[in-house]
Amino acid sequence: MKNKGVVLWLFTGCLLLFIMVVVGGITRLTNSGLSMTDWHLVTDTFPPLTQQKWEEAYTEYQKFPEYQKINQFKNFTLDDYKYIYFWEWFHRFIGRIIGLVFIIPFVYFLIKKKLTPSLIKQCALLLFMGGFQGFLGWYMVKSGLIDRPDVSHFRLSIHLTFALLTFAVTLNTGLNAMYPEKRKPIIPLRNLTRWIIVLLFIQIIYGGFVAGLDAGKIHTTWPTMNEGQWIHESVFIEQKTLFLNFTEGKSGVQFIHRTLAIIVFSLILYLFIQRKKFNLDRIQLNAINLTLILVIVQFALGVFTLLYSVPISLGVLHQAGAFFLLSSITFTMHRLSK
């Protein structure tokens, strides 16, 4: 394999991004995201190391809405604070590791002339995306430190979606390095996978909306919504306009997320059926087969997450499932495109 070191470096970045998103899901589901009320590049690298530092951090946390409006009424102790602090700190710590893992080898490969001009451009884009993702994380957290004791579901969705977009671009860049040869694309299937990826990202956006609004904890039946209705009446009356119902209403957001899941599943099934009409190689066939398996698993995880009112374990598995499905469809599109 050419560029073995570069490929390994980029795929290591993919693995770290996967871990970061999973930890981010745990951070969200444990309500840990607002535990660190400031951001410093160096001084926050490690958690408080003495009892005095812990007490200072806890005192600072008590000045903000999450403690004042929620946790002070729950017999919330310093030990409880240490638990939520850990997950937010760990999430940020992985972000710092990703930065180092990307920048140091990038400079090394530049000096050693291991990167083609095309790869240099792609890696520069990844460098920008990584930095911007860090900004989006703080921009999201900041929304929960002013008046409301929760982050904006719009900002949370942007943060999550951009993380998965960064992952997809990193994976595609790694595949470009791994498979540098040109080949004739399978245009009909390639175009279909492009539509699937677009819809999958819209689905991820709505997954962020569902998480940010805790919309997965209502209408916890499937395939119908509450009271046996396929479309619950609250989908259209919760907010003032249809647009607001589908972007800020819990019922409307959950309905869109349910519907998009069926559409994405159907399109991947259609891709699986259409594969027989083309002379595909073994890798292309396996990629499509794996994508179908993963969308079935992800669909099932979504249903069970809903039925059990979003327990932490299923919520994290469902978010991880989105990562694996995105990986598979990105790989499929790559092999059908070049």
Side-chain angles (χ1 to χ4, degrees):
M1 181 196 304
K2 294 182 179 179
N3 296 324
K4 185 175 181 180
V6 175
V7 172
L8 180 62
W9 163 55
L10 290 168
F11 286 171
T12 299
C14 289
L15 176 61
L16 288 172
L17 284 168
F18 168 74
I19 294 172
M20 188 171 187
V21 169
V22 170
V23 173
I26 297 173
T27 301
R28 173 61 189 170
L29 291 167
T30 56
N31 296 315
S32 303
L34 300 177
S35 57
M36 296 179 68
T37 58
D38 207 343
W39 187 87
H40 301 96
L41 181 60
V42 177
T43 56
D44 288 340
T45 301
F46 298 101
L49 300 177
T50 65
Q51 183 67 16
Q52 180 183 350
K53 291 294 184 181
W54 273 116
E55 291 175 355
E56 290 175 359
Y58 186 38
T59 299
E60 188 66 21
Y61 170 72
Q62 292 174 346
K63 299 176 183 178
F64 290 88
E66 184 174 73
Y67 178 82
Q68 294 174 350
K69 297 183 179 182
I70 299 177
N71 284 336
Q72 72 168 324
F73 305 110
K74 293 183 176 180
N75 193 28
F76 191 81
T77 66
L78 178 59
D79 287 337
D80 296 322
Y81 175 67
K82 288 180 179 180
Y83 173 76
I84 64 172
Y85 187 100
F86 167 78
W87 286 113
E88 175 63 11
W89 166 80
F90 190 40
H91 186 54
R92 298 187 188 192
F93 181 74
I94 296 172
R96 288 179 168 90
I97 295 298
I98 291 174
L100 292 175
V101 167
F102 186 86
I103 292 173
I104 295 174
F106 179 52
V107 173
Y108 171 80
F109 289 131
L110 277 177
I111 294 172
K112 294 294 184 178
K113 302 187 184 302
K114 298 287 186 179
L115 301 175
T116 65
S118 177
L119 276 176
I120 291 173
K121 293 178 182 178
Q122 293 173 62
C123 291
L125 173 63
L126 290 175
L127 182 62
F128 167 78
M129 293 179 76
F132 189 63
Q133 176 65 5
F135 164 77
L136 286 176
W138 176 242
Y139 181 67
M140 175 191 70
V141 168
K142 192 175 181 180
S143 67
L145 298 176
I146 302 173
D147 297 315
R148 51 181 294 191
D150 202 358
V151 299
S152 162
H153 69 286
F154 291 112
R155 297 189 188 187
L156 184 148
S157 185
I158 292 171
H159 184 52
L160 172 63
T161 305
F162 199 79
L164 271 76
L165 178 62
T166 302
F167 169 83
V169 174
T170 304
L171 177 59
N172 192 70
T173 303
L175 291 171
N176 287 339
M178 187 175 182
Y179 299 105
E181 75 282 356
K182 299 293 183 180
R183 55 191 291 170
K184 186 176 180 180
I186 314 296
I187 294 176
L189 298 185
R190 180 203 64 186
N191 292 345
L192 180 56
T193 58
R194 286 178 175 177
W195 278 109
I196 291 171
I197 286 181
V198 169
L199 288 173
L200 184 57
F201 269 106
I202 296 173
Q203 175 70 326
I204 290 167
I205 290 170
Y206 267 88
F209 287 174
V210 169
L213 292 170
D214 286 330
K217 297 180 179 179
I218 60 172
H219 310 308
T220 55
T221 59
W222 194 89
T224 60
M225 300 178 82
N226 288 13
E227 303 172 7
Q229 300 179 42
W230 290 98
I231 304 177
H232 195 269
E233 60 185 11
S234 60
V235 169
F236 301 105
I237 64 174
E238 195 171 357
Q239 300 292 327
K240 294 180 179 180
T241 66
L242 186 63
F243 176 78
L244 291 177
N245 277 317
F246 288 156
T247 56
E248 296 188 21
K250 292 184 179 182
S251 295
V253 164
Q254 192 195 106
F255 171 72
I256 295 294
H257 197 55
R258 285 172 176 251
T259 304
L260 281 172
I262 296 171
I263 294 173
V264 170
F265 176 86
S266 300
L267 285 175
I268 291 176
L269 180 60
Y270 180 68
L271 173 67
F272 177 77
I273 295 170
Q274 290 294 107
R275 82 197 191 287
K276 295 182 179 180
K277 297 182 179 180
F278 301 89
N279 184 26
L280 303 181
D281 62 32
R282 180 177 56 84
I283 294 178
Q284 291 167 331
L285 287 171
N286 288 343
I288 293 173
N289 295 342
L290 178 60
T291 301
L292 179 64
I293 292 170
L294 288 173
V295 77
I296 292 171
V297 172
Q298 178 67 350
F299 195 95
L301 282 171
V303 171
F304 283 112
T305 301
L306 185 69
L307 294 177
Y308 288 97
S309 299
V310 199
I312 293 176
S313 57
L314 285 176
V316 171
L317 283 173
H318 188 47
Q319 188 160 304
F323 234 103
F324 285 115
L325 180 57
L326 178 61
S327 302
S328 181
I329 194 63
T330 300
F331 179 71
T332 301
M333 185 182 70
H334 189 277
R335 299 321 300 146
L336 293 172
S337 298
K338 297 189 71 175

